[in-house]
Amino acid sequence: MSWEVMAAEQLAWGVMEEGWRKGPWTAEEDRLLIEYVKLHGEGRWNSVARLAGLKRNGKSCRLRWVNYLRPDLKRGQITPHEEKVILELHARWGNRWSTIARSLPGRTDNEIKNYWRTHFKKKAKVSSDNSEKSKARLLRRQQFQQQQLLQQQQQQQQQTQVFDMRRLMSLLDENENRVPTLPQMKQDASAAATPIFPNTIDDHHQVFLYSVFNNSAALPEATNHDQDINWDGLWNMDEFSGNIYYSNSANRATLRTSAATPYY
DNA sequence: AATAACTCCAACCGCGTCTCT
DNA sequence: AAGAGACGCGGTTGGAGTTAT
């Protein structure tokens, strides 16, 4: 092979390995492959190089035909209906892309696989992260329950004020949609300047509510994720006390539903 | 305007299964 | 029955294009 030919092949960046070309296909190679299939039909891919004059191995030819040149391929974006089918079939079959592709005429396993990876895999990861979060939440809830138990015992011993959960629930009902942001809550509750729940809740209950929302007896430093923390607390509250959450706010129930909706 | 980050997708690779001799 | 080659599948890579900062 002359150096000119070698240089030309480098420029076309078709890599030659053991005599086989690799990398992107040229229009001429496509034409030769289409001609070959017209004459000999699909299959016998290892004969393509010899019969069609292509410097491609059989595997590469088959892949190019199946994923790109086949005339029955459907071009264009995956439709919402196709996406639905992919989701349903993936839930049933897992990563059996060729099986899924059989239910989507004109789509290749490679195309579906790529679509899944780019559109759903990341969301699945987020979902798994959420599952980690819910484990941590469970742990926090258990700690919180222990803490409450301890508190109650101490309070009974000292015969001091007893927290009445029913009272708190009704207070929450009365103050529907008034869930404050954390900095507001922290500032107001600790300073006891302006009541957060102006209707009825006294300073003592404000601090307690803050701790319920945040599963913490102490007031933490302000954070940039105030809303997250507050709603996190609400999820826990729901799990912890039964139906506080549902009885509390239709809006929050809607939010909860949307947050709990599984996605891929 | 530059560039970093992200998305898309064609193509490759390794391996398991099938088919033929 | 066994070995070799062909085929098919799922995972991965890397370049091009697009979007965000």
Side-chain angles (χ1 to χ4, degrees):
Chain A
M1 188 184 286
S2 70
W3 72 268
E4 288 96 337
V5 172
M6 290 170 72
E9 280 185 356
Q10 283 293 331
L11 281 174
W13 65 291
V15 181
M16 296 290 282
E17 193 175 284
E18 294 175 9
W20 300 120
R21 258 180 62 82
K22 291 167 79 173
W25 280 63
T26 65
E28 176 62 11
E29 286 177 317
D30 282 347
R31 193 187 63 77
L32 288 171
L33 184 55
I34 290 166
E35 279 300 308
Y36 170 85
V37 176
K38 268 185 194 166
L39 286 171
H40 302 95
E42 294 183 39
R44 296 165 176 252
W45 297 109
N46 284 332
S47 309
V48 176
R50 184 166 41 85
L51 296 175
L54 272 167
K55 288 186 168 60
R56 295 277 184 172
N57 65 27
K59 231 175 171 177
S60 181
C61 292
R62 178 190 157 272
L63 205 68
R64 182 65 177 174
W65 176 258
V66 167
N67 286 337
Y68 196 80
L69 297 175
R70 250 169 51 198
D72 59 332
L73 284 180
K74 196 171 169 181
R75 304 286 180 186
Q77 286 198 322
I78 300 282
T79 66
H81 174 255
E82 286 173 324
E83 182 179 300
K84 187 167 171 278
V85 171
I86 291 170
L87 285 173
E88 283 171 5
L89 294 183
H90 187 271
R92 189 185 302 169
W93 298 108
N95 292 1
R96 292 164 71 174
W97 307 115
S98 59
T99 306
I100 295 171
R102 284 184 206 114
S103 299
L104 294 167
R107 301 296 187 186
T108 69
D109 55 351
N110 205 34
E111 192 175 11
I112 293 166
K113 180 172 58 182
N114 282 333
Y115 186 79
W116 172 268
R117 286 183 61 82
T118 51
H119 289 82
F120 302 115
K121 193 168 183 186
K122 192 193 289 176
K123 290 180 185 173
K125 184 183 179 303
V126 169
S127 182
S128 122
D129 288 350
N130 285 346
S131 131
E132 288 302 310
K133 278 182 186 171
S134 66
K135 282 181 195 166
R137 210 180 284 146
L138 182 68
L139 191 64
R140 288 204 303 274
R141 190 171 70 240
Q142 286 169 344
Q143 288 171 343
F144 173 67
Q145 284 173 315
Q146 276 188 339
Q147 196 176 12
Q148 287 304 304
L149 196 63
L150 194 66
Q151 252 181 19
Q152 281 180 4
Q153 286 169 348
Q154 285 171 349
Q155 284 162 359
Q156 280 167 1
Q157 282 172 0
Q158 295 166 7
Q159 294 191 337
T160 53
Q161 186 178 1
V162 175
F163 287 155
D164 181 350
M165 283 306 289
R166 285 185 192 162
R167 165 71 176 145
L168 284 168
M169 286 166 67
S170 71
L171 290 174
L172 283 165
D173 284 340
E174 286 168 25
N175 292 280
E176 190 171 332
N177 298 326
R178 288 175 196 271
V179 178
T181 61
L182 189 144
Q184 182 191 3
M185 196 172 230
K186 182 188 179 220
Q187 183 190 337
D188 292 346
S190 58
T194 310
I196 299 162
F197 301 95
N199 287 0
T200 49
I201 301 177
D202 60 31
D203 295 342
H204 179 82
H205 280 91
Q206 287 194 29
V207 173
F208 175 73
L209 276 172
Y210 178 84
S211 72
V212 169
F213 277 124
N214 295 287
N215 284 348
S216 163
L219 291 167
E221 290 305 309
T223 159
N224 290 329
H225 307 292
D226 309 324
Q227 295 298 333
D228 291 346
I229 288 178
N230 283 331
W231 292 112
D232 238 19
L234 276 178
W235 295 175
N236 299 341
M237 199 162 174
D238 176 32
E239 293 161 29
F240 164 68
S241 64
N243 267 329
I244 284 182
Y245 182 72
Y246 293 114
S247 65
N248 208 14
S249 161
N251 287 344
R252 287 176 226 163
T254 305
L255 184 63
R256 184 179 192 271
T257 303
S258 66
T261 301
Y263 47 76
Y264 295 85

